[in-house]
Amino acid sequence: MNDLRFRLASETDLPSVVRLRDAAARWMAARGVTGQWQPGELGVEHFRKVSESGEVWLAEGADGVVGAWELWWEDEDAWGPQSSAAGYVHRLMVAHADVPPGTGRRLLRAAERRVADTGRGLVRLDCLAGNERLNAYYLDAGYRAVGSKEGKPQPDGSVKSFTLLEKGVRDDDEAVSFR
């Protein structure tokens, strides 16, 4: 899967993003990861709203969309008021049945590159505090835990606790193809 291409999602792509997220939620549930994502929890309107204030990115392979993520330019619910020094990655997801191991890491690197390209020096994300496997994934990807957020509001009205993680990004020569 070396032929991944990254592009901003258009309005017509949003149903595919919803299907991808629902499939990722089902994949997590099948592996005993509960309390994170639920199928049907977010619809097209959620991703449309994100696109208005941030970005929704797609990863495409030869057979179509195989991953996506949201990139926000602020996240006061989790991080409080901040300077514009960071980009915030949310809902990193891959089509697990259709991609090789390491694809999620490639998407994360593309998100980091996009943040660096805007002149920001930090990528931040939050991870469900109780999801030890996912927290370890981000730590292994070079992120460091810098705090926690108790009671962060969720799209469904519930509240959850999160680990806050960040990573410095620098200008490097790793090629990422955006189109």
Side-chain angles (χ1 to χ4, degrees):
M1 177 117 344
N2 290 331
D3 63 340
L4 283 182
R5 295 168 314 280
F6 304 100
R7 67 175 176 85
L8 284 169
S10 69
E11 176 72 23
T12 59
D13 294 314
L14 299 183
S16 294
V17 177
V18 172
R19 285 189 298 277
L20 180 66
R21 188 189 182 277
D22 286 349
R26 287 189 295 278
W27 181 88
M28 282 190 267
R31 281 147 187 81
V33 178
T34 60
Q36 182 116 2
W37 293 356
Q38 302 302 315
E41 185 175 46
L42 299 178
V44 167
E45 189 55 38
H46 166 83
F47 294 102
R48 182 179 295 124
K49 188 174 179 181
V50 169
S51 295
E52 292 170 2
S53 60
E55 300 173 352
V56 177
W57 283 89
L58 300 179
E60 294 181 313
D63 295 323
V65 175
V66 296
W69 71 91
E70 295 176 9
L71 188 55
W72 301 4
W73 302 117
E74 59 183 38
D75 185 359
E76 288 193 21
D77 285 343
W79 293 83
Q82 298 285 321
S83 70
S84 61
Y88 301 84
V89 174
H90 288 275
R91 285 173 258 295
L92 181 74
M93 55 190 128
V94 298
H96 291 279
D98 301 325
V99 298
T103 301
R105 193 68 57 94
R106 289 186 63 199
L107 272 62
L108 190 55
R109 283 195 308 266
E112 292 164 358
R113 184 71 187 159
R114 170 67 180 132
V115 171
D117 285 350
T118 69
R120 291 168 172 87
L122 292 170
V123 175
R124 292 183 171 145
L125 51 87
D126 56 57
C127 183
L128 191 64
N131 189 335
E132 293 177 20
R133 183 175 170 192
L134 191 55
N135 276 274
Y137 175 84
Y138 288 121
L139 292 171
D140 189 53
Y143 286 77
R144 63 187 183 96
V146 296
S148 63
K149 172 65 179 179
E150 304 299 320
K152 180 183 174 192
Q154 298 301 291
D156 68 359
S158 67
V159 293
K160 297 179 182 175
S161 297
F162 291 84
T163 303
L164 302 177
L165 300 113
E166 70 179 19
K167 180 180 182 179
V169 291
R170 66 187 189 305
D171 205 15
D172 61 26
D173 55 5
E174 182 176 329
V176 174
S177 173
F178 291 97
R179 63 174 181 114

